Amino acid sequence: MDRNAVGPSFHERVRRTFSVGASKNHQNGGAHEATPLLAGDSLGGSHEHSETYDFFLNSHYTPGADSSKPWVRIPATVWHIAKATLLSNYVNVLLVFVPIGIIAGIAEWDPVTVFVINFLAIIPLAAVLSFATEEISVKLGESLGGLLNATFGNAVELIVSIIALRDGQYEVVKSSMIGSILSNLLLVMGMCFVFGGIANMRDGAGNGQEQTFASITAQTTCSLMTLAAASMILPGALSIVLNQTLDDKEQRDATILNLSRGTAVLLLLLYILYLWFQLRTHHNLFGAEAAAANVESLEGSGPVATPAQVEDEPEEQHMSPWAAGGVLIVTTILVSICADYLVDSIDALVDRAGLSRNFIGLILIPIVGNAAEHVTAVVVAIKNKMDLAMGVAIGSSIQISLFVTPFLVILGWMMNRPMNLHFETFETVSFALSVLVVTYTVQDGKSNYLEGAMLMALYIIIAVAFFVTPSGALDDNSL
């Protein structure tokens, strides 16, 4: 299929919204929505700034990178890659905690200190992972780019969970999976509705209005999330029946484990089918055309804010795919090291701070992996690009529930670890209720700040409930 024939994909539109370089229509203008973090010329354009500026602050060009002399070109290229990566996001100022966190882990500092420092270190590393993934996706096309984003979009949660799975901390793994879903469905989407609704509260006549998004996206996603909730409830329901009819605990555990592994395989197949549905066969239902059609259908039901459009302009790159791949590999290694020290310090944090493993996995770890996505979703919502905001928030939830969680079950199978889909009772109930609330909230294809406040309130209630629960009280409380 010709990629140009189907229009820009979701990931392409996100990149254009957050393009680090100025578009051709604004090269001589002031600041606008595509203005870079530290403004620079577009790739391949003229370099009107001084060489000092280009060397230190231009994320698109570095003097010497195009030199014919290898001893000049190679160091300049390496510096360009590092510079473009560092300037890709404001949160990268926290990268200073990466070496400190590694030193703290090697030197065996106080475990709570090690946890906090590595917690802060992983936040910018997650942003760098996202940046490198998007740089590679530019050249891969819709299908491969979508798969790459699916794989690395939640890489931090995946790495932390793999390390916790290796160490046998199954409560942390399961809590972090549900926590990532809840943070995206309730906190991120709620913040998008609140800040987007306030920023676009009135129309030209001063009347209150609502923001809109493609309802087909919300409906399809909510159906998938309901299925994911069912896949977590059914093993627990079966466990209740087996506890009453089967005395052999090992046989009960084996039955639940076999059900979980079979369900995980089906969920992974369903996720692949969902990607094919979204990126190939029904891409028109998830793009700008669907949003425009949704606005037309809602015009008679009350004032709605017309979604802002993303111009179909050439995508800009800051480095080659090979360079971005190198950044991806280095960042993944650093995340693994920091995550290893973070997971190793959880036991001490539980003992000394009195926090439960469920709270750490459900609330704290998702904050690390989703910080960059949170900011992205809120900013595009303020710009009245709700389809992009919903894609960031809901898309990440789909990846966790249909890809990351079943992948961890399969990986545990390979590692001979009894990882299953038998979640703690209160976590399962919280997840199921959240999916129900979100479904009722988004099914009309419209949003406002009151609905956002409702979603955020539910997330805070769940967070407080796990925070006040004593450590260890939920460890053996499974359905």
Side-chain angles (χ1 to χ4, degrees), residues 9 46 88 153 235 330-331 395 435:
S9 68
S46 60
S88 62
V330 172
T331 307
V435 172

Side-chain angles (χ1 to χ4, degrees), residues 196-220:
I198 293 175
N200 301 275
M201 187 186 306
R202 305 287 183 182
D203 59 14
N207 299 316
Q209 64 179 2
E210 293 183 294
Q211 292 181 289
T212 64
F213 47 86
S215 58
I216 181 63
T217 304
Q219 293 169 3
T220 302

Side-chain angles (χ1 to χ4, degrees), residues 41-62:
D41 299 315
S42 60
L43 192 62
S46 60
H47 311 294
E48 299 176 357
H49 299 101
S50 66
E51 286 195 1
T52 301
Y53 176 91
D54 285 338
F55 186 81
F56 288 105
L57 299 178
N58 191 338
S59 61
H60 293 282
Y61 173 74
T62 299

Side-chain angles (χ1 to χ4, degrees), residues 120-133:
L120 295 174
I122 293 177
I123 294 176
L125 291 175
V128 173
L129 275 177
S130 177
F131 169 72
T133 303

Side-chain angles (χ1 to χ4, degrees), residues 290-367:
N294 190 63
V295 172
E296 293 179 2
S297 66
L298 294 173
E299 284 180 348
S301 61
V304 295
T306 302
Q309 301 296 320
V310 182
E311 295 181 5
D312 188 10
E313 62 189 41
E315 299 174 58
E316 296 181 0
Q317 275 189 286
H318 307 89
M319 62 183 74
S320 69
W322 288 105
V327 173
L328 199 64
I329 293 173
V330 172
T331 307
T332 301
I333 293 173
L334 292 176
V335 170
S336 301
I337 296 173
C338 293
D340 198 4
Y341 292 130
L342 183 142
V343 172
D344 287 343
S345 61
I346 286 179
D347 288 336
L349 187 67
V350 170
D351 294 336
R352 293 173 52 182
L355 299 176
S356 66
R357 285 182 173 82
N358 303 84
F359 178 79
I360 294 173
L362 196 80
I363 305 300
L364 296 184
I365 291 179
I367 291 176

Side-chain angles (χ1 to χ4, degrees), residues 214-471:
S215 58
I216 181 63
T217 304
Q219 293 169 3
T220 302
T221 304
C222 287
S223 298
L224 291 171
M225 294 307 303
T226 304
L227 175 64
S231 69
M232 298 178 184
I233 294 173
L234 288 176
L238 179 60
S239 177
I240 293 176
V241 175
L242 294 179
N243 286 337
Q244 298 174 350
T245 59
L246 194 61
D247 295 331
D248 190 344
K249 184 179 184 303
E250 291 186 1
Q251 190 174 358
R252 291 199 306 264
D253 294 342
T255 302
I256 298 300
L257 189 59
N258 290 333
L259 172 62
S260 299
R261 289 170 175 173
T263 302
V265 172
L266 291 175
L267 290 178
L268 286 174
L269 293 175
L270 185 62
Y271 181 69
I272 295 173
L273 188 63
Y274 166 71
L275 283 181
W276 188 258
F277 179 86
Q278 182 184 28
L279 298 175
R280 284 297 182 184
T281 62
H282 290 71
H283 56 81
N284 57 297
L285 299 180
F286 295 85
E289 298 175 2
N294 190 63
V295 172
E296 293 179 2
S297 66
L298 294 173
E299 284 180 348
S301 61
V304 295
T306 302
Q309 301 296 320
V310 182
E311 295 181 5
D312 188 10
E313 62 189 41
E315 299 174 58
E316 296 181 0
Q317 275 189 286
H318 307 89
M319 62 183 74
S320 69
W322 288 105
V327 173
L328 199 64
I329 293 173
V330 172
T331 307
T332 301
I333 293 173
L334 292 176
V335 170
S336 301
I337 296 173
C338 293
D340 198 4
Y341 292 130
L342 183 142
V343 172
D344 287 343
S345 61
I346 286 179
D347 288 336
L349 187 67
V350 170
D351 294 336
R352 293 173 52 182
L355 299 176
S356 66
R357 285 182 173 82
N358 303 84
F359 178 79
I360 294 173
L362 196 80
I363 305 300
L364 296 184
I365 291 179
I367 291 176
V368 172
N370 295 327
E373 292 179 341
H374 291 189
V375 175
T376 298
V378 172
V379 171
V380 296
I382 292 174
K383 296 177 180 179
N384 198 26
K385 298 174 182 177
M386 287 303 297
D387 285 284
L388 299 185
M390 294 289 288
V392 172
I394 295 184
S396 182
S397 300
I398 291 294
Q399 290 173 14
I400 290 291
S401 59
L402 297 185
F403 174 70
V404 178
T405 302
F407 173 78
L408 289 171
V409 174
I410 301 300
L411 183 62
W413 191 359
M414 297 177 181
M415 298 169 61
N416 197 26
R417 296 285 195 277
M419 174 65 185
N420 56 41
L421 296 175
H422 189 192
F423 287 77
E424 189 276 322
T425 304
F426 189 53
E427 291 178 350
T428 306
V429 172
S430 300
F431 176 47
L433 290 176
S434 299
V435 172
L436 182 64
V437 171
V438 169
T439 299
Y440 279 112
T441 303
V442 305
Q443 64 182 355
D444 61 351
K446 296 187 292 184
S447 65
N448 54 62
Y449 69 87
L450 179 59
E451 292 178 339
M454 291 161 47
L455 296 179
M456 292 177 65
L458 178 57
Y459 182 80
I460 294 173
I461 292 172
I462 294 173
V464 171
F466 280 95
F467 180 76
V468 300
T469 302
S471 177

Side-chain angles (χ1 to χ4, degrees), residues 2 18 26 93-94 109 114 139 154 160-161 184-185 195 210-211 219 255 303 323 338 367 393 406 417 423 438 471:
D2 183 6
F18 285 94
H26 300 277
V93 297
L94 295 177
W109 292 2
V114 173
K139 291 294 186 181
N154 293 287
V160 173
S161 297
N184 281 286
L185 284 182
F195 290 101
E210 293 183 294
Q211 292 181 289
Q219 293 169 3
T255 302
C338 293
I367 291 176
R417 296 285 195 277
F423 287 77
V438 169
S471 177

